Amino acid sequence: MENIKNKVVIVTGASSGNGKATVKKLAHEGAKVVMFSRTEEKLSALKNELSEYVVDYKVGDVRNLSDVKGLVKYTLDKYERIDVFYHNAGVLPMGALANSDAEKVSKWQQAFDTNVMGVVNGLAACLPVMVKQKFGHMIATDSVMGHLVIPNAAIYCSTKFAVRAIMEGVRQEHLEDNIKSTIISPGLVSTGLLSSVDDKGMEAWIEGELKDDTKALSPESIADAVAYAISTPKNVAISEILIRSSKHVL
């Protein structure tokens, strides 16, 4: 994937799961990667693991616009450009809409703040840079559930439907700025997101599905999809990649 070499790539949600796998993939392909998440210990460990590659990190929260602006400034100060911004941070809230428990509703609010406003903050911080450069590539982790709705997942689905609409807006608004827009929409992936489900019924269902290795994608499969989207020629834009296990209904 020659088109990846030397590209400056920001990855949010970089300390685990799809983000971590993508950092490794892009670093091995010769990209200059700047990782971003809230957990410095994990970022530092990953940087040390990839010490032979060009990998840096900044600690912060995608829900905080000033943190994301600091990330963009850090990257520009170091590399003077940003080729790709991968919006990957996210949580997976589940539960029935009739649940009016205040704690549950608060967690749903956090889901919108992370999954939707986290992307919006990244765009607000970095799109002006790419417009000025007259090139760039915005990528976001969406979901199969950004294309369909299932019971007890309407809140999560709605956050991913929103990301899909926002990223299509990026494509339409920046055709003349040479800015690409891609969403990666995985089905079931074996990552640490299960910890954010917070619904016993859905947790049990997901855990049951993950017991069969053939039903879940690996984070490395998602990293391969991201790398493919980045590697395409300048005049080729991969708008959506819908990626599922061949053995799973979702």
Side-chain angles (χ1 to χ4, degrees):
M1 296 184 173
E2 194 62 30
N3 287 341
I4 294 177
K5 190 174 183 180
N6 291 321
K7 282 194 172 177
V8 178
V9 184
I10 289 173
V11 179
T12 70
S15 62
S16 61
N18 297 334
K20 183 177 180 179
T22 300
V23 168
K24 290 182 176 182
K25 174 70 176 180
L26 298 181
H28 291 159
E29 294 291 341
K32 300 171 182 177
V33 184
V34 179
M35 306 180 292
F36 186 75
S37 84
R38 294 175 294 170
T39 314
E40 182 165 16
E41 183 179 354
K42 291 182 179 180
L43 292 175
S44 178
L46 186 52
K47 177 178 169 60
N48 290 336
E49 181 183 340
L50 298 170
S51 59
E52 62 185 292
Y53 302 99
V54 185
V55 176
D56 294 286
Y57 69 83
K58 192 93 167 63
V59 177
D61 191 332
V62 295
R63 296 174 296 181
N64 189 323
L65 178 58
S66 64
D67 284 2
V68 185
K69 285 186 174 181
L71 166 67
V72 169
K73 183 180 185 302
Y74 172 83
T75 306
L76 287 175
D77 288 345
K78 194 170 187 68
Y79 297 112
E80 299 183 337
R81 72 178 195 279
I82 298 170
D83 294 293
V84 182
F85 194 122
Y86 178 28
H87 309 261
N88 172 67
V91 293
L92 182 64
M94 296 288 182
L97 290 170
N99 188 334
S100 60
D101 177 81
E103 184 178 354
K104 172 67 77 173
V105 174
S106 174
K107 288 184 178 179
W108 286 346
Q109 178 64 60
Q110 292 173 29
F112 278 96
D113 290 343
T114 302
N115 294 2
V116 181
M117 289 309 300
V119 173
V120 171
N121 287 340
L123 296 177
C126 195
L127 262 179
V129 172
M130 291 183 174
V131 169
K132 186 176 180 179
Q133 293 175 166
K134 287 294 181 182
F135 66 85
H137 193 168
M138 290 291 181
I139 304 177
T141 298
D142 202 76
S143 172
V144 165
M145 287 193 280
H147 299 256
L148 55 84
V149 179
I150 65 171
N152 300 310
I155 295 299
Y156 178 68
C157 293
S158 65
T159 68
K160 293 305 183 179
F161 268 79
V163 169
R164 200 170 141 213
I166 290 164
M167 295 299 285
E168 172 62 9
V170 172
R171 185 189 73 81
Q172 293 188 23
E173 292 176 20
H174 295 284
L175 292 172
E176 302 304 316
D177 296 317
N178 299 311
I179 298 173
K180 298 182 183 184
S181 169
T182 302
I183 58 170
I184 310 294
S185 297
L188 184 68
V189 185
S190 182
T191 70
L193 274 182
L194 187 61
S195 62
S196 65
V197 170
D198 193 37
D199 181 88
K200 290 182 179 179
M202 293 300 287
E203 281 179 11
W205 177 74
I206 294 171
E207 284 179 339
E209 297 299 280
L210 289 174
K211 287 179 181 178
D212 184 345
D213 291 341
T214 67
K215 287 186 175 182
L217 297 166
S218 69
E220 288 72 25
S221 296
I222 310 309
D224 287 344
V226 175
Y228 168 68
I230 295 172
S231 71
T232 54
K234 288 182 179 180
N235 67 327
V236 175
I238 305 298
S239 298
E240 298 184 12
I241 297 179
L242 191 61
I243 177 171
R244 294 174 161 111
S245 164
S246 61
K247 300 294 184 180
H248 197 261
V249 66
L250 294 180

